[in-house]
Amino acid sequence: MIEHLELFFKSIFIDNMVFAVFLGMCSYLAVSKKVATAVGLGAAVIFVLAITVPLNWLLDQYLLQPGALSWLDPEYGIGGSQEMDLGFLSFIMFIATIATMVQLVEIVVEKFSPSLYNSLGIFLPLIAVNCAILGGSLFMQSREIETLGLALNYGVSSGIGWFLAILAIAAIREKIRYSNVPAPLRGLGITFIITGLMGIGFLSFGGMLTGGDEEGEPSTEAAINTNDLKIEDAKELADNTKIVK
Amino acid sequence: MGLLSKKDANLIIDPLTDNNPITIQVLGICSALAITAELKASLVMGIAVLFVLGVGNVVISLMRNIIPSKIRIIVQLIVVATLVIIVDQVLKAFAFELSKTLSVFIGLIITNCIIMGRFEAFALGNGPWKSFLDGIGNALGYAVILIIVGFFRELLGSGTLFGIPVLGDPIEKTGVYATGYENNGFMLMPPMALIIVGLIIWVQRSRNKDLIED
């Protein structure tokens, strides 16, 4: 349970897709002029990430990792006579899964929920080529997320992180229209700089998970050390003074 | 320019300045900024995109008449993914350390909007030679911004260029450090890349008033 919570907050705030690793910047900049459209795209990203990350986790686990094919025949496993590593295929497998899933989701949503389709639909084709989606799967692979549940959690929470980011920037951009920004910076330039400043703000979340645990012990150790030092210093001082005498 | 007609030459030169993919077209920021803390990584990323975009544009342009328009996105993705796998495998074989630094960002070239954007906007409607020039031009425009950002971040952040100290030794206090200069570790943090790109846009648009948005 605790690992779920930890991963959840970590992927929303600390490893935020936009502010920490710049994923999905293209649509982040292009679709953030109005809050309403930003919310639509953000929701679509959460939705698609929640589907594709667990799916790609399964692919990675049972097809792509070194020795992952051992469920077919133990010979293909690690140490078997025909050890298999299909890792080089992961890019093409992931992107194919994402593209087909997006298409499928679009068809299903159009069929069963026209109202949802009207609000999300136009964003779905955009999403197939959104770096945040592929990035989610690739980070899932490189961070070696352990269980299917955690993979689902990672997909949803990093989607929420992206949603928060685009919502925030859209709100700021709506307001900034009334400000007197230097002409060459208007539009794109100021958006970049604001995103940078927001990123600096999000850096402060970095201490959220590691801070509490590690603080206790080192500080007591340090205190003990300083005590020792003081005692030694005192002894030295005493010695020195003796010598002086 | 005997080899290139004026029109062809413009295909290469335009994206370098007035039609730059990053600062004007706002494409391909995704995988660009996170790796610019070092100049070397920026350069390699630029070369990788140059290869993928140059070759990919030609391939798509050759196939442009046989791709059904309904599934063109998937076809394009498969072409890019194949090229990126080649880049990734070559990097892993010949520059393993660097491929560790770039980690997932090589894979993210696939969804780099520059590549899909140029396929859609140019390669699907033009012949192979022109598409090749367009690909090279846009990739160079992308690489230039990456290298500028990488240059400033590495120089101001760690006082080195390509890993070679150029400002003196920060511990021994030689060179510039003797005057009390300190490295700005903040430049190595991700947000500074955005701010530097913002400043580049500012400079570029002040020099060319036509580009200002209203």
Side-chain angles (χ1 to χ4, degrees):
Chain A
M1 193 57 214
I2 189 79
E3 55 188 11
H4 274 274
L5 267 180
E6 196 180 321
L7 184 71
F8 188 75
F9 285 108
K10 200 173 164 220
S11 358
I12 292 183
F13 293 110
I14 301 171
D15 291 331
N16 186 290
M17 282 218 155
V18 172
F19 299 126
V21 283
F22 305 115
L23 295 182
M25 284 298 286
C26 303
S27 23
Y28 168 86
L29 292 169
V31 197
S32 60
K33 288 201 178 96
K34 278 192 189 139
V35 170
T37 44
V39 168
L41 184 70
V45 165
I46 298 180
F47 194 57
V48 174
L49 269 175
I51 296 171
T52 55
V53 171
L55 255 179
N56 282 334
W57 183 86
L58 287 174
L59 267 182
D60 185 45
Q61 213 67 15
Y62 294 106
L63 265 179
L64 299 171
Q65 275 184 3
L69 285 171
S70 56
W71 56 274
L72 267 180
D73 188 334
E75 290 296 289
Y76 294 136
I78 291 175
S81 60
Q82 288 172 296
E83 195 182 318
M84 287 275 191
D85 178 6
L86 298 180
F88 66 94
L89 281 178
S90 42
F91 295 156
I92 211 164
M93 295 291 279
F94 286 176
I95 197 70
T97 318
I98 289 167
T100 40
M101 277 320 296
V102 169
Q103 206 92 48
L104 212 67
V105 166
E106 198 182 345
I107 294 168
V108 171
V109 171
E110 190 180 7
K111 176 92 180 138
F112 291 105
S113 171
S115 63
L116 184 66
Y117 182 76
N118 283 335
S119 53
L120 281 189
I122 41 167
F123 300 113
L124 282 173
L126 250 178
I127 277 178
V129 288
N130 187 330
C131 331
I133 310 291
L134 182 65
S137 291
L138 289 176
F139 272 118
M140 174 273 297
Q141 190 190 32
S142 76
R143 285 176 192 164
E144 291 169 358
I145 284 179
E146 282 153 24
T147 63
L148 186 61
L150 280 175
L152 176 69
N153 180 341
Y154 180 70
V156 173
S157 52
S158 46
I160 294 175
W162 200 88
F163 179 88
L164 272 184
I166 195 170
L167 188 63
I169 194 77
I172 293 177
R173 283 181 84 172
E174 276 198 357
K175 292 286 172 207
I176 214 163
R177 231 172 286 152
Y178 308 108
S179 320
N180 189 14
V181 179
L185 263 181
R186 258 174 228 159
L188 190 59
I190 196 73
T191 314
F192 266 102
I193 292 178
I194 292 172
T195 311
L197 295 177
M198 285 161 78
I200 294 172
F202 266 67
L203 281 180
S204 59
F205 286 117
M208 212 163 75
L209 287 180
T210 50
D213 290 339
E214 286 169 359
E215 224 170 79
E217 290 166 27
S219 62
T220 47
E221 259 173 39
I224 292 165
N225 283 341
T226 47
N227 277 343
D228 286 349
L229 276 179
K230 271 176 199 162
I231 294 164
E232 276 170 22
D233 282 355
K235 275 181 188 168
E236 255 178 43
L237 260 180
D239 288 345
N240 285 345
T241 42
K242 270 180 201 165
I243 292 166
V244 171
K245 274 178 188 172
Chain B
M1 288 243 184
L3 187 64
L4 303 168
S5 69
K6 198 158 187 279
K7 225 173 154 190
D8 286 352
N10 275 343
L11 284 178
I12 293 194
I13 293 164
D14 256 7
L16 286 178
T17 52
D18 288 348
N19 200 16
N20 189 284
I22 293 188
T23 59
I24 309 298
Q25 301 175 37
V26 208
L27 296 174
I29 298 138
C30 325
S31 55
L33 298 177
I35 46 91
T36 47
E38 291 169 38
L39 193 51
K40 201 171 166 193
S42 322
L43 191 68
V44 170
M45 191 69 180
I47 295 170
V49 170
L50 187 73
F51 168 77
V52 174
L53 193 51
V55 178
N57 247 0
V58 173
V59 172
I60 291 291
S61 163
L62 286 173
M63 296 200 302
R64 70 184 186 280
N65 294 325
I66 53 169
I67 303 175
S69 70
K70 268 198 169 169
I71 58 158
R72 64 177 195 284
I73 302 262
I74 294 187
V75 174
Q76 288 165 2
L77 283 175
I78 298 295
V79 171
V80 190
T82 319
L83 291 170
V84 170
I85 289 175
I86 296 173
V87 171
D88 185 47
Q89 296 293 316
V90 167
L91 272 184
K92 270 187 188 149
F94 296 107
F96 189 69
E97 284 303 312
L98 207 58
S99 86
K100 274 270 162 77
T101 329
L102 293 172
S103 68
V104 303
F105 292 98
I106 284 292
L108 286 172
I109 296 177
I110 298 174
T111 46
N112 192 322
C113 322
I114 288 186
I115 292 176
M116 298 302 286
R118 289 332 287 171
F119 283 2
E120 283 282 305
F122 201 90
L124 280 176
N126 288 284
W129 174 238
K130 275 192 172 171
S131 304
F132 178 69
L133 293 178
D134 179 77
I136 299 287
N138 276 288
L140 284 177
Y142 170 86
V144 164
I145 300 290
L146 238 65
I147 288 168
I148 296 176
V149 178
F151 175 82
F152 283 112
R153 281 182 77 186
E154 189 172 346
L155 184 68
L156 300 175
S158 34
T160 58
L161 287 175
F162 290 110
I164 303 160
V166 287
L167 294 181
D169 195 324
I171 299 158
E172 307 265 315
K173 300 282 177 209
T174 58
V176 189
Y177 298 102
T179 63
Y181 173 82
E182 290 282 343
N183 280 331
N184 183 359
F186 210 59
M187 292 303 269
L188 299 175
M189 298 289 206
M192 285 315 286
L194 284 164
I195 292 179
I196 292 177
V197 175
L199 296 178
I200 293 174
I201 293 174
W202 192 357
V203 171
Q204 195 186 11
R205 294 193 179 177
S206 331
R207 289 167 60 101
N208 187 347
K209 302 282 183 204
D210 298 340
L211 301 172
I212 292 174
E213 291 174 45
D214 41 33

